[in-house]
Amino acid sequence: MLLFKQAESLRKHLSQQRQKARSIGFVPTMGALHQGHLSLVQQSKELTDISVVSIFVNPTQFNEEADLFAYPRTPEKDILKLKKVGTDVIFMPEKSVIYPSDIDLTIDWDFSHLTQNMEGKFRPGHFEGVVMVVKRLLDLVHPTHLFMGQKDFQQAVLIQNMIQHYQLPVSLAISPIVREKDGLAMSSRNVHLTPIGRGIAPIIAKTLKSVKERVGMHTPLALKQWALEQFSNLNLEVDYFEIVHAQTLKPIAAFNPEERSVACTVVRIDGVRLLDNIYLT
Ligand code: AMP
C-alpha cells in the first residue's frame, strides 16, 4: 500500500498505472473510517485494478466552524483499516495541496436545481464545497470508476449530474447504506452520540422502513406527516423529511411505480445530524 501526501507524486504513480492500462477505482472520504467506507473500497477492489482512497476533511463543505473543528479524525486507525481491506493507494493531502493559491477552482456550473431542498437548504454552501473538492480530486486522480454511498443520496445525485455536465470519463457506482445491527446508518458522526441518544437513534431507520411498507396505502404527504409524528412523539428535532423523485430530487405528490422515489431525512439527536434515506419505489 502506498501513501501520498503530494499531488505530483500521486499523479506520477497513477499515470504509470494508466499506461499499463489498469483501471483505477476511487473512493473519496473524510476519514474516521467505518464499514460503510470500507464497503466502497471492497466494491472498488472487485471492479477495478487499483483502488485509491482519499482522506481529506474538506473545510469548504462545512457550513459551521464548530462542526469542522469537532469532526472526528483518526488517521492512524484509518490507514490500518485500509491496509486490511487491500487498498492500493491512500491520498492524504494537506489543505494547500487541494486548494493551492495559484489554481482557480471556481465551479462554473449552476446546479441550484438540485440543491434547493434537503441538505442544500439546511447547509448553505455545503454542496458548493462538495462539488469543488470532488471535481478537484477527480482532476488529480483521473479514476475510471468513482465509488460513493447512497447514505449521502443528494450528494451522489449531484455528483452524477456533475459528471454528465463536465462529460468526465468516469463511471459512478452508488453503494447501499451499511447499517449497524439495530439499523442505524453507519456514520463517522455517530461517535458523538451519548449512550441514551445511541439507544434512540435506530428509530430513524425503523421509521423509514415503516414508511416503505406503507407506500401502497398512503400518499407521500400523508407518509411524511406520519413519519414526522413518530419523531415528534420522541421529542426529536427533525431538519427535514422529504419524499423525492430519485433523479430530480423534487418532492413528489403521488407515487409512480415506474419511477424511483426516495425518502430522505435528517434527525438531530444529541445535537448530531443523523442522515438516512430509503428507496420507496
Ligand atoms: P464521508 O467520509 O462521510 O464523506 O463519506 C465518504 C463516502 O462514504 C461517501 O460516498 C458516503 O456516502 C459513503 N458512506 C458514508 N457512510 C456510509 C454508510 N453507512 N454506508 C455506505 N456508504 C457510506
Side-chain angles (χ1 to χ4, degrees):
M1 185 171 75
L2 296 170
L3 191 154
F4 295 99
K5 292 189 169 219
Q6 300 302 328
E8 257 335 290
S9 47
L10 174 85
R11 236 202 273 258
K12 202 170 152 208
H13 175 72
L14 292 178
S15 91
Q16 284 164 359
Q17 302 304 316
R18 238 172 271 119
Q19 274 161 20
K20 294 180 194 156
R22 293 196 173 135
S23 57
I24 298 175
F26 178 46
V27 181
T29 82
M30 298 207 297
L33 302 180
H34 49 67
Q35 191 48 46
H37 298 111
L38 300 179
S39 73
L40 301 179
V41 184
Q42 280 151 346
Q43 220 209 331
S44 170
K45 283 194 62 72
E46 273 170 36
L47 295 177
T48 68
D49 299 321
I50 305 282
S51 294
V52 181
V53 178
S54 66
I55 299 180
F56 178 62
V57 183
N58 174 36
T60 63
Q61 72 185 70
F62 283 81
N63 53 317
E64 283 173 24
E65 192 84 17
D67 187 25
L68 171 62
F69 186 71
Y71 199 82
R73 289 164 172 87
T74 55
E76 289 85 11
K77 282 189 194 160
D78 292 348
I79 292 169
L80 289 177
K81 287 177 187 172
L82 290 175
K83 195 165 183 187
K84 219 168 154 187
V85 294
T87 307
D88 299 291
V89 173
I90 304 181
F91 181 42
M92 282 177 86
E94 294 286 333
K95 189 179 163 195
S96 59
V97 171
I98 296 298
Y99 298 117
S101 51
D102 57 343
I103 300 182
D104 182 9
L105 295 171
T106 315
I107 294 292
D108 57 2
W109 167 49
D110 178 7
F111 50 84
S112 54
H113 58 293
L114 295 168
T115 56
Q116 268 149 18
N117 62 4
M118 305 194 288
E119 292 303 278
K121 183 169 165 190
F122 281 83
R123 301 185 69 187
H126 167 67
F127 283 126
E128 281 70 13
V130 168
V131 168
M132 200 192 286
V133 80
V134 175
K135 176 86 173 32
R136 170 74 173 142
L137 287 167
L138 290 176
D139 286 344
L140 290 173
V141 176
H142 279 296
T144 48
H145 298 69
L146 172 65
F147 297 90
M148 301 188 100
Q150 183 198 320
K151 163 91 185 330
D152 297 276
F153 186 75
Q154 193 172 15
Q155 166 177 288
V157 172
L158 185 61
I159 297 303
Q160 181 68 73
N161 278 265
M162 181 190 88
I163 289 169
Q164 276 153 9
H165 175 80
Y166 289 108
Q167 303 196 333
L168 303 177
V170 60
S171 78
L172 172 65
I174 302 174
S175 289
I177 303 175
V178 177
R179 300 178 177 281
E180 302 287 354
K181 279 203 184 76
D182 57 15
L184 175 65
M186 287 192 186
S187 163
S188 304
R189 289 189 165 92
N190 291 353
V191 296
H192 294 312
L193 291 169
T194 62
I196 293 177
R198 177 64 189 81
I200 301 169
I203 186 68
I204 304 168
K206 208 172 146 221
T207 304
L208 286 170
K209 211 164 152 247
S210 304
V211 164
K212 189 181 173 87
E213 284 160 9
R214 288 167 162 78
V215 162
M217 300 173 263
H218 304 279
T219 62
L221 184 60
L223 286 174
K224 171 178 171 164
Q225 280 160 352
W226 181 82
L228 290 174
E229 227 174 86
Q230 308 312 301
F231 299 135
S232 82
N233 287 345
L234 293 169
N235 287 323
L236 299 179
E237 200 186 321
V238 182
D239 274 8
Y240 59 84
F241 184 100
E242 298 290 354
I243 295 178
V244 299
H245 188 285
Q247 271 141 32
T248 66
L249 299 177
K250 301 257 184 292
I252 55 167
F255 289 109
N256 176 351
E258 307 285 306
E259 293 192 349
R260 294 207 99 176
S261 58
V262 189
C264 300
T265 191
V266 166
V267 178
R268 286 180 188 252
I269 299 182
D270 297 328
V272 186
R273 294 183 82 245
L274 298 174
L275 186 80
D276 204 345
N277 65 76
I278 194 167
Y279 275 107
L280 300 180
T281 50

